């Protein structure tokens, strides 16, 4: 979806019968991801709900400002989870109404070691939270049940794309290193499997055009 202000919100990594898993790579942080095992026989389906952000949201002009924001959110999640590795979560209805969650409803969370119901407004930047509140009902109109009041939002998933970008020119070649074609998620030019694949094809075509 593209919201009225132009900000993009999209789902990512739909896992039928899946689970939300721990994916932190630094101490005293919480990061989530999703997966399905072979049988796909879990009680829930889960997917990420991603909100696009850019340099205007970083609060700094530092080259690594995006990484600093990512780390701040991950550490804040650790605190909100009780400093135990538990992840903060919130029922969809509560998020839309702007109130903290005090209980889990009919949808059992799958994240291990566990979750702590609360208020994601204490975790996410206001612009991200506002975009989620606008987008979830819109998704619910397209996919019945997406905005189920008891659906659980568990977070944060902060590793969908790189928080820094290796700049490249119109030829897709790095502007600083001749012969280098940065592409995909790690270089900051994709936010998922399909977009990374498409960007890889574009870069491969750019390389081939120089060889012809």
């Amino acid at each position: 979806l593209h919201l009225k202000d132009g900000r993009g919100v999209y789902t990512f990594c739909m896992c039928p019968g899946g689970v939300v898993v721990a994916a932190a790579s630094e101490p005293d942080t919480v990061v989530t991801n999703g997966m399905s095992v072979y049988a796909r026989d879990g009680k829930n389906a889960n997917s990420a709900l991603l909100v696009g952000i850019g340099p205007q949201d970083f609060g700094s002009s530092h080259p690594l400002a995006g990484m600093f924001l990512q780390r701040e959110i991950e550490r804040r999640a650790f605190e909100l989870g009780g400093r135990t590795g538990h992840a903060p979560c919130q029922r969809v209805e509560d998020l839309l109404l702007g109130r903290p969650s005090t209980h889990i409803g009919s949808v059992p969370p799958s994240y291990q070691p566990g979750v702590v119901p609360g208020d994601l407004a204490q975790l996410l930047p206001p612009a991200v939270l506002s975009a989620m509140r606008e987008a979830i009902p819109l998704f619910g109109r397209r996919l019945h049940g997406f905005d189920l009041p008891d659906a659980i939002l568990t977070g944060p998933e902060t590793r969908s794309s790189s928080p820094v970008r290796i700049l490249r020119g119109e030829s897709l070649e790095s502007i600083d290193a001749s012969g280098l074609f940065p592409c995909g998620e790690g270089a900051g030019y994709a936010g998922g499997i399909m977009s990374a694949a498409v960007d890889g094809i574009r870069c491969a075509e750019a390389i081939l055009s120089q060889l012809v």
Side-chain angles (χ1 to χ4, degrees):
L1 290 175
H2 283 91
L3 305 181
K4 296 176 181 178
D5 63 358
R7 193 180 297 271
V9 182
Y10 60 102
T11 61
F12 171 74
C13 193
M14 171 61 196
C15 302
V19 293
V20 180
V21 298
S25 60
E26 294 184 309
D28 298 340
T29 60
V30 167
V31 181
T32 64
N33 208 318
M35 61 169 281
S36 297
V37 295
Y38 178 78
R40 298 181 177 179
D41 58 355
K43 295 181 178 179
N44 302 339
N46 60 265
S47 69
L49 180 63
L50 299 183
V51 177
I53 62 173
Q56 71 276 9
D57 302 299
F58 295 163
S60 167
S61 60
H62 191 283
L64 298 180
M67 187 188 73
F68 297 151
L69 175 60
Q70 177 190 60
R71 182 174 288 167
E72 176 187 347
I73 293 172
E74 294 170 1
R75 289 179 175 172
R76 196 181 305 157
F78 182 75
E79 296 291 335
L80 292 173
R83 299 184 59 81
T84 60
H86 288 53
C89 74
Q90 190 170 14
R91 295 172 59 249
V92 161
E93 181 182 43
D94 294 331
L95 179 117
L96 296 180
L97 293 176
R99 67 190 183 195
S101 289
T102 58
H103 68 283
I104 301 297
S106 59
V107 179
S110 58
Y111 182 85
Q112 296 296 330
V115 297
V116 176
D119 189 356
L120 295 183
Q122 299 180 38
L123 174 66
L124 301 172
V128 171
L129 199 70
S130 175
M132 290 171 62
R133 286 178 174 145
E134 183 180 347
I136 288 174
L138 297 177
F139 279 123
R141 295 176 194 172
R142 300 183 179 188
L143 180 63
H144 178 70
F146 190 92
D147 55 350
L148 182 76
D150 274 347
I152 295 292
L153 294 160
T154 306
E157 180 166 349
T158 48
R159 304 298 181 89
S160 64
S161 187
S162 173
V164 296
R165 174 173 287 180
I166 303 174
L167 298 180
R168 63 190 188 191
E170 292 184 5
S171 67
L172 305 187
E173 191 172 8
S174 168
I175 63 173
D176 296 312
S178 177
L180 178 65
F181 290 78
C183 68
E185 292 181 358
Y189 288 96
I193 296 170
M194 292 301 296
S195 58
V198 170
D199 195 55
I201 292 171
R202 291 182 63 218
C203 286
E205 291 175 340
I207 294 170
L208 289 173
S209 69
Q210 291 195 6
L211 299 176
V212 174

